[in-house]
Amino acid sequence: MPDVVLPCLDEAGALPWVLSRLPDGYRAVVADNGSTDGSPQIAADLGATVVHVPQRGFGAAAHAGLEAATADVVCFCDADGSMDPAELPRVADPVLAGDADLVLGRRRPTGRGAWPAHARVANVALGVMLRRRTGHSLHDLGPMRAARREALLGLGLTDRRFGYPLEMVTRASDAGWRIHEVDVTYSPRAEGTRSKVTGTVLGTLRTIRDMREVLAR
């Protein structure tokens, strides 16, 4: 069964719910990126494998979690409660069945407050750039995704900031991977948590900057 990498930075309010929603047999690898709210201990107490990642950055946490995983298939999911881990089989099953090499969860908001307007606009723009770059009809760079661990490591991903999810897709495309999209629900984050990527206009602008750098390579 898959391992699930959960990049984490101060997600104490969401982790109990997130970890309780993992499907049977899925193992959580919480890659903690310097939390100060007790998130690592909460995750450990709930049975997750905790990896401490001193290098700051979303990509640094995600990649450290990938390296610490041991399952053949690895999923990625946010730890802030915006995505339901119970839906992970939607992205993992096509990989497990050999029907796809990389599956991305296309976020479908459950309410108006789930996805800020500035983040939606940025996502549309990035989707257009991504389709031009890869030729794949992709609409979202959603954080819920799945692929085989050794194949991912073989891509040689180097971005350790917000460009990591995009670099994964572009390198997979260049390698001729079969990339699919499936719908997953996207909800408001748990109370007391905030997106480190698109929760603010500044965070969104930083994300766009990092992803443009990836596309320019």
Side-chain angles (χ1 to χ4, degrees), residues 16-29:
W17 182 83
V18 169
L19 295 175
S20 74
R21 297 288 293 173
L22 287 176
D24 289 343
Y26 282 59
R27 184 178 75 106
V29 180

Side-chain angles (χ1 to χ4, degrees), residues 1-4 23-26 72-76 85-105 144-148 178 180-184:
M1 298 298 286
D3 283 346
V4 183
D24 289 343
Y26 282 59
D72 177 40
V73 171
V74 174
C75 302
F76 295 83
E87 296 183 351
L88 283 167
R90 295 187 188 181
V91 298
D93 284 353
V95 179
L96 289 165
D99 296 328
D101 302 308
L102 174 63
V103 179
L104 309 175
M144 185 180 285
R145 52 184 60 194
R148 296 195 181 275
R178 298 165 297 167
H180 294 179
E181 243 181 7
V182 298
D183 288 349
V184 296

Side-chain angles (χ1 to χ4, degrees), residues 82-127:
S82 62
M83 314 195 83
D84 187 352
E87 296 183 351
L88 283 167
R90 295 187 188 181
V91 298
D93 284 353
V95 179
L96 289 165
D99 296 328
D101 302 308
L102 174 63
V103 179
L104 309 175
R106 182 182 183 183
R107 290 169 286 185
R108 296 295 195 179
T110 60
R112 181 174 295 180
W115 206 346
H118 62 268
R120 287 191 188 223
V121 171
N123 194 66
V124 170
L126 288 168

